[in-house]
Amino acid sequence: MKLIRYAGAAFLAAGLSFCSATAGLAHHQFLVESFPASKQRVVKPVRQIKLVFEGKADAVISTITLKSRNGLVIAKGIQKQASKELILDTPVLQPGLYEVDYRVLATDGTIVEGAFPFIVEPSLSA
């Protein structure tokens, strides 16, 4: 009978640990919107990358990087002040595949990283 009580207590403790771990995830700054969007095919000139997060990203430690298909860094920036938005001005992008990498320090102290591709298509008017 004691074995069943211990097993039940261990199961309950594991469940509470899982709940508290997942509750903490709600404070992380997840990406909720971006321009360009992940896997988007853009025809208009891109001169700025904009990321929007659930909560404010800490200043200075949060970064955004734009890379070309071969991994060459085209533009890189840091967060100048705590904000839900992370914006990177870019040179005019030629047609091709690009990747946006971001690293954000959430207000709860967690670092959230991510990356996504997008494609700049040749303009129909060119």
Side-chain angles (χ1 to χ4, degrees), residues 25-102:
L25 292 177
H27 298 287
H28 298 337
Q29 285 14 342
F30 292 111
L31 184 65
V32 294
E33 183 181 339
S34 69
F35 177 80
S38 178
K39 301 179 185 173
Q40 182 177 0
R41 294 179 173 272
V42 182
V43 179
K44 294 181 180 180
V46 174
R47 296 175 194 223
Q48 191 176 69
I49 307 294
K50 180 179 180 180
L51 307 180
V52 180
F53 297 91
E54 278 183 326
K56 286 186 178 181
D58 198 339
V60 183
I61 296 173
S62 300
T63 61
I64 181 172
T65 305
L66 176 65
K67 296 180 182 176
S68 66
R69 166 179 264 175
N70 60 4
L72 179 69
V73 174
I74 297 171
K76 186 171 185 172
I78 61 169
Q79 185 76 345
K80 296 188 181 357
Q81 62 185 20
S83 173
K84 287 186 173 187
E85 297 181 352
L86 191 52
I87 297 173
L88 177 66
D89 292 325
T90 69
V92 176
L93 301 179
Q94 299 299 315
L97 176 66
Y98 295 90
E99 180 179 282
V100 175
D101 296 341
Y102 60 90

